[in-house]
Amino acid sequence: MKLRRLGALVAAAALLLTGATTATAQTEHEQKPTIVLLHGAFADGASWSEVTSRLQRDGYQVVAPAVPLRGIATDTAYLTGVLNGIPGPKVLVGHSYGGALVSQLAGTSGVKSLVYVAAFIPQAGETLGALNSKYPGSEIGPDTTNAISYPGGVDLVMKPESFRQVFAADLPARQAAVLGASQRPVNAAVFEEPIAKTAPAGLPKYAVIPTGDHAIAPAAERFMADRAHATTVEISGASHLVALSHPKAVATLIEQAAR
């Protein structure tokens, strides 16, 4: 009888311990923020594919929505709806034009930190066009883009022969060609649309600066990151699509922001 009682007590203790361990694991999992990855102009969610797989492997929930690329205010309104559907804490990550959207969305409930990857970090009243022309080095312009006119306005798309040089110089030619073929056009007006908000000063910010960027001048990226007091990592020789060419370094910084 005593042995049975002892066995029952041991089993009960083991069950309680297992439950406590499971609860602790669930709590740790629940505390990890969702990583929201916003792509930029002339791109889509595939530009985050390598980073996404690394973050998922490390236990993070990842959302990489399709950004409409119709305008800063329009895209912000749409993405606000996306973020409102994601419970718990969130880390916002923006590439290129996506950085401007990250700044506009920074005040959304649950956002704990911001990461800018080869991205704009604008302040209220500025335009992306003015920021991109502040320093020499950007090769985005009439020589490297085609205009698509339609009844609602004008879109810009990178010329196939320019895509690799401007965006993906450190990626294999075949991979760059595929990315160029699947790029998404951006409304030309976004580069002249004034920014509505500056990201809150108290929110932690991180930035990846690829020194071989030909889409946004690295000097402009440094200026914006320094001004925002962002924790900065520079990747020597990396292209604008640094999240594909150096996904480990980008994912590591994102996870630092998440912690």
Side-chain angles (χ1 to χ4, degrees):
M1 181 66 70
K2 289 182 178 179
L3 288 175
R4 287 183 181 178
R5 184 175 297 174
L6 180 60
L9 289 172
V10 171
L15 183 61
L16 287 171
L17 182 60
T18 301
T21 302
T22 302
T24 300
Q26 288 176 342
T27 300
E28 289 177 353
H29 178 73
E30 290 167 358
Q31 288 175 345
K32 279 191 172 184
T34 298
I35 311 298
V36 182
L37 305 172
L38 303 181
H39 66 79
F42 314 112
D44 60 17
S47 61
W48 290 116
S49 59
E50 293 295 327
V51 169
T52 295
S53 64
R54 281 167 170 76
L55 295 173
Q56 290 177 334
R57 180 195 61 199
D58 292 341
Y60 289 93
Q61 293 291 326
V62 179
V63 177
V67 178
L69 303 179
R70 296 300 86 201
I72 294 168
T74 300
D75 293 350
T76 299
Y78 171 78
L79 291 167
T80 297
V82 173
L83 295 184
N84 287 341
I86 301 173
K90 294 172 275 288
V91 173
L92 302 187
V93 186
H95 172 247
S96 193
Y97 164 74
L101 301 178
V102 161
S103 291
Q104 303 313 287
L105 295 162
T108 306
S109 176
V111 173
K112 63 176 293 182
S113 57
L114 311 175
V115 184
Y116 299 87
V117 179
F120 289 105
I121 313 177
Q123 293 187 350
E126 295 179 332
T127 66
L128 303 187
L131 282 170
N132 210 29
S133 62
K134 187 177 181 69
Y135 296 90
S138 173
E139 296 181 14
I140 294 179
D143 293 337
T144 58
T145 58
N146 287 324
I148 303 172
S149 298
Y150 61 99
V154 177
D155 277 3
L156 295 178
V157 63
M158 292 295 302
K159 293 180 178 179
E161 63 271 23
S162 302
F163 188 89
R164 188 179 185 220
Q165 170 62 23
V166 178
F167 266 68
D170 59 347
L171 290 176
R174 287 186 178 181
Q175 184 180 7
V178 170
L179 293 166
S182 61
Q183 66 174 294
R184 293 182 56 211
V186 61
N187 184 350
V190 304
F191 297 103
E192 304 305 323
E193 182 179 351
I195 297 296
K197 301 176 183 177
T198 301
L203 206 58
K205 301 173 186 69
Y206 301 79
V208 176
I209 299 174
T211 65
D213 197 338
H214 291 219
I216 303 175
E221 293 174 15
R222 290 189 195 98
F223 162 74
M224 291 183 283
D226 289 345
R227 183 178 64 173
H229 304 291
T231 298
T232 303
V233 172
E234 293 202 7
I235 301 180
S236 180
S239 71
H240 193 59
L241 290 181
V242 62
L244 282 172
S245 61
H246 293 79
K248 182 178 179 180
V250 174
T252 297
L253 188 65
I254 292 171
E255 293 191 17
Q256 181 181 341
R259 290 190 295 269

